Amino acid sequence: MSLFEQKVSELHERLHKKEISVTDLVNESYKRIGEVEGKVKAFLTLDEENARTQAKILDDQLVNGGNEGALFGMPIGVKDNIVTKNLRTTCASKILENFDPIYDATVVQKLQKAETVTIGKLNMDEFAMGSSNENSAYQATRNPWNTDYVPGGSSGGSAASVASGEVLFSLGSDTGGSIRQPAAYCGVVGLKPTYGRVSRYGLVAFASSLDQIGPVTRTVEDNAYLLEAISGVDPMDSTSANLDVPNFVNSLTGDVRGLKIAVPKEYLGEGVGEEARNSVLEALKVLEGLGAEWEEVSLPHSKYALAAYYLLSSSEASANLSRFDGVRFGHRTDNAETLIEMYKQTRAEGFGDEVKRRIMLGTFSLSSGYYDAYYKKAQKVRTLIKRDFEDVFEKYDLIVGPTTPTPAFKIGEKMDDPLTMYANDILTIPVNLAGVPGISVPCGFGANGLPLGLQMIGKHFDESTIYRAAHAFEQATDFHKQFPKL
């Protein structure tokens, strides 16, 4: 059995009993990468020399009886839009293909404090824009359950690396479902925290009012450990919340008796496949058997979420990506004679089609004469969506539904149809618009043998209740014990 089929707590205990070393864990990671990376293509950059050096330092510390935390020595992968000092960070874009940051993101600093070992940087859709990982400028990551299929996006590398056993866990980012959707497609656990729970300092911005960094893991317990390590207020991020970080692992009691669950009829209606719908209904039976109660409710404005999201996120992207102009850092064209030509050529050469598409949509939405008709109206719709969640949470503890309308689709199947591709995030996007937390946990398999995800959505800063319910469901089922056979 692979070491990475064990939980963090089990590996932690084995480290302290001297049954294994940190070097063993790091060796396991690179050995597995050597075996399957050619098929999965989850990593863009490996940091093997530094990882092995760090493992040796931590092993020496272990011998000397240091006071190690829960994540001590655990190998982790980091999505390539989270900056890492002196370790290439590309956002899977040609415009940043040789960018070596001069500082670490706050979450990376927190991982260093927790004494994890960074294995490398993970592939993604370019600038986190996509739902399939096919928009990377370098390679298309593949689903470990069937390499003819996509792993989801934009954190496809983060989910695929965990599902295939290359790392114990990873960090992703979620702007409209980019952690939860690939977690569902790859049969792992992915959480989008409440907006403000985790610092965004050092996360290359796509849409600043929607982006959140979060953990991708094999089990709910591991997810709770990782979220606790990366959470907390940060003076470098004015949108981070000045709240105490709970001990999330303590919330994993297995007891959901009396928990009130809302199931939006919109999440089981038109556009949601029969397999996804049935897997959720079966999951609700499990939760009922554990003592929870559920009722059907309505989130009436969720049907407008997709349109509002793409207007708002593209508008913010058009502003955020204006910094990539060839002047200060990143790619600069060799084919320009004037400053304006240099701007145009640099961006034309450096950005992929999907990024260009969203910049153009966002710039149009913010332009004179269209701002009120599109951007401003989308902001009003966002407020209505947020109020829908608030109304439901007055009576219920959790909202439950499918993470995605269907299992993963084949590579290349939807690349020429961006609107159909966008619709894959229809069930995850409202969570980002409202700023609430949501998790995806495995809940079944489709007829094609690919995983399905159950989405649990909680109140602002109430990740503890989400973890409690997700952990109880996980312990009552065996989906998390099944592994892809690469």
Side-chain angles (χ1 to χ4, degrees):
M1 185 171 81
S2 164
L3 288 173
F4 296 165
E5 291 179 24
Q6 298 170 63
K7 296 187 296 185
V8 164
S9 55
E10 293 167 341
L11 292 174
H12 183 76
E13 186 177 343
R14 292 188 67 186
L15 278 172
H16 278 269
K17 287 181 177 177
K18 308 294 191 291
E19 294 176 3
I20 58 172
S21 66
V22 178
T23 297
D24 290 335
L25 292 173
V26 171
N27 286 343
E28 178 91 6
S29 184
Y30 286 114
K31 175 174 173 282
R32 183 64 174 166
I33 288 169
E35 291 169 351
V36 304
E37 181 60 16
K39 301 174 186 175
V40 177
K41 301 183 185 299
F43 281 91
L44 288 177
T45 304
L46 293 172
D47 196 24
E48 188 165 356
E49 185 178 341
N50 285 332
R52 293 192 185 282
T53 301
Q54 176 71 359
K56 177 71 169 61
I57 292 169
L58 295 178
D59 280 334
D60 291 345
Q61 190 175 316
L62 201 59
V63 170
N64 295 326
N67 184 24
E68 293 81 24
L71 301 185
F72 176 87
M74 302 298 164
I76 188 167
V78 179
K79 188 176 178 180
D80 205 32
N81 60 345
I82 299 170
V83 301
T84 42
K85 187 175 181 179
N86 298 326
L87 180 59
R88 196 173 70 129
T89 301
T90 70
C91 294
S93 177
K94 290 292 185 186
I95 210 160
L96 286 175
E97 64 181 333
N98 296 311
F99 178 55
D100 290 322
I102 58 172
Y103 71 101
D104 283 316
T106 296
V107 290
V108 175
Q109 293 174 10
K110 286 177 176 284
L111 290 175
Q112 290 167 354
K113 187 177 178 183
E115 297 178 302
T116 63
V117 180
T118 299
I119 296 299
K121 304 298 290 293
L122 293 159
N123 194 27
M124 55 185 281
D125 285 299
E126 184 181 3
F127 284 103
M129 297 180 191
S131 306
S132 66
N133 224 275
E134 294 168 283
N135 292 328
S136 169
Y138 302 104
Q139 61 193 26
T141 299
R142 295 172 179 268
N143 193 313
W145 291 88
N146 185 331
T147 53
D148 291 334
Y149 287 76
V150 301
S154 62
S155 306
S158 300
S161 64
V162 174
S164 61
E166 293 180 310
V167 286
L168 192 61
F169 39 50
S170 65
L171 289 185
S173 69
D174 193 311
T175 307
S178 288
I179 288 173
R180 290 158 290 150
Q181 187 245 32
Y185 282 177
C186 292
V188 293
V189 179
L191 177 101
K192 186 215 80 95
T194 308
Y195 185 81
R197 170 67 81 189
V198 177
S199 171
R200 291 183 299 108
Y201 180 70
L203 173 68
V204 179
F206 163 15
S208 306
S209 73
L210 300 163
D211 299 338
Q212 268 293 273
I213 296 169
V216 180
T217 59
R218 197 177 285 288
T219 68
V220 173
E221 182 183 301
D222 290 359
N223 208 278
Y225 275 120
L226 187 50
L227 180 64
E228 192 172 327
I230 63 173
S231 294
V233 67
D234 178 15
M236 303 301 288
D237 176 10
S238 61
T239 63
S240 66
N242 190 6
L243 295 171
D244 290 338
V245 179
N247 185 324
F248 293 118
V249 179
N250 283 352
S251 65
L252 309 182
T253 61
D255 183 9
V256 292
R257 284 172 295 181
L259 196 74
K260 293 183 177 178
I261 295 171
V263 181
K265 61 183 182 183
E266 293 83 3
Y267 285 21
L268 296 176
E270 186 182 352
V272 177
E274 198 67 28
E275 293 173 330
R277 185 184 298 111
N278 289 339
S279 71
V280 169
L281 294 174
E282 289 300 315
L284 288 168
K285 287 179 186 176
V286 172
L287 291 166
E288 260 189 318
L290 295 170
E293 309 163 13
W294 70 273
E295 292 178 356
E296 190 176 87
V297 299
S298 179
L299 295 172
H301 296 99
S302 59
K303 60 186 174 184
Y304 306 118
L306 201 63
Y309 168 82
Y310 277 100
L311 283 167
L312 295 174
S313 64
S314 298
S315 296
E316 293 186 29
S318 97
N320 279 327
L321 270 62
S322 65
R323 72 193 68 178
F324 302 105
D325 54 13
V327 175
R328 288 154 291 192
F329 54 87
H331 170 74
R332 179 186 292 185
T333 186
D334 296 323
N335 304 320
E337 295 181 3
T338 69
L339 182 64
I340 298 301
E341 274 185 28
M342 190 269 285
Y343 288 150
K344 287 181 178 179
Q345 290 294 330
T346 294
R347 291 165 70 79
E349 293 168 11
F351 289 140
D353 289 345
E354 182 60 29
V355 175
K356 291 174 184 173
R357 184 182 292 122
R358 298 201 197 193
I359 289 172
M360 289 166 67
L361 173 61
T363 305
F364 171 80
S365 303
L366 293 173
S367 61
S368 176
Y370 298 102
Y371 178 91
D372 286 351
Y374 295 104
Y375 180 79
K376 190 174 178 181
K377 190 171 286 186
Q379 288 286 28
K380 290 179 177 179
V381 170
R382 180 179 188 169
T383 300
L384 293 173
I385 290 168
K386 183 170 179 286
R387 286 177 185 167
D388 283 349
F389 279 99
E390 289 168 352
D391 290 344
V392 170
F393 283 133
E394 284 182 8
K395 298 177 184 175
Y396 300 92
D397 302 306
L398 274 184
I399 294 172
V400 167
T403 309
T404 59
T406 63
F409 48 90
K410 281 194 170 181
I411 290 172
E413 189 177 314
K414 299 185 180 181
M415 275 301 285
D416 297 328
D417 188 357
L419 292 180
T420 302
M421 184 80 84
Y422 294 169
N424 286 290
D425 297 331
I426 197 164
L427 300 169
T428 53
I429 277 170
V431 172
N432 297 78
L433 291 171
V436 292
I439 198 170
S440 178
V441 293
C443 71
F445 293 88
N448 58 5
L450 296 178
L452 293 159
L454 178 72
Q455 183 172 209
M456 296 181 176
I457 303 163
K459 301 172 185 176
H460 284 99
F461 298 104
D462 191 16
E463 287 88 354
S464 294
T465 298
I466 292 177
Y467 278 139
R468 179 159 61 99
H471 182 255
F473 173 76
E474 181 185 75
Q475 296 309 299
T477 58
D478 63 357
F479 302 118
H480 66 292
K481 296 177 181 175
Q482 299 184 45
F483 305 96
K485 293 178 174 59
L486 273 161

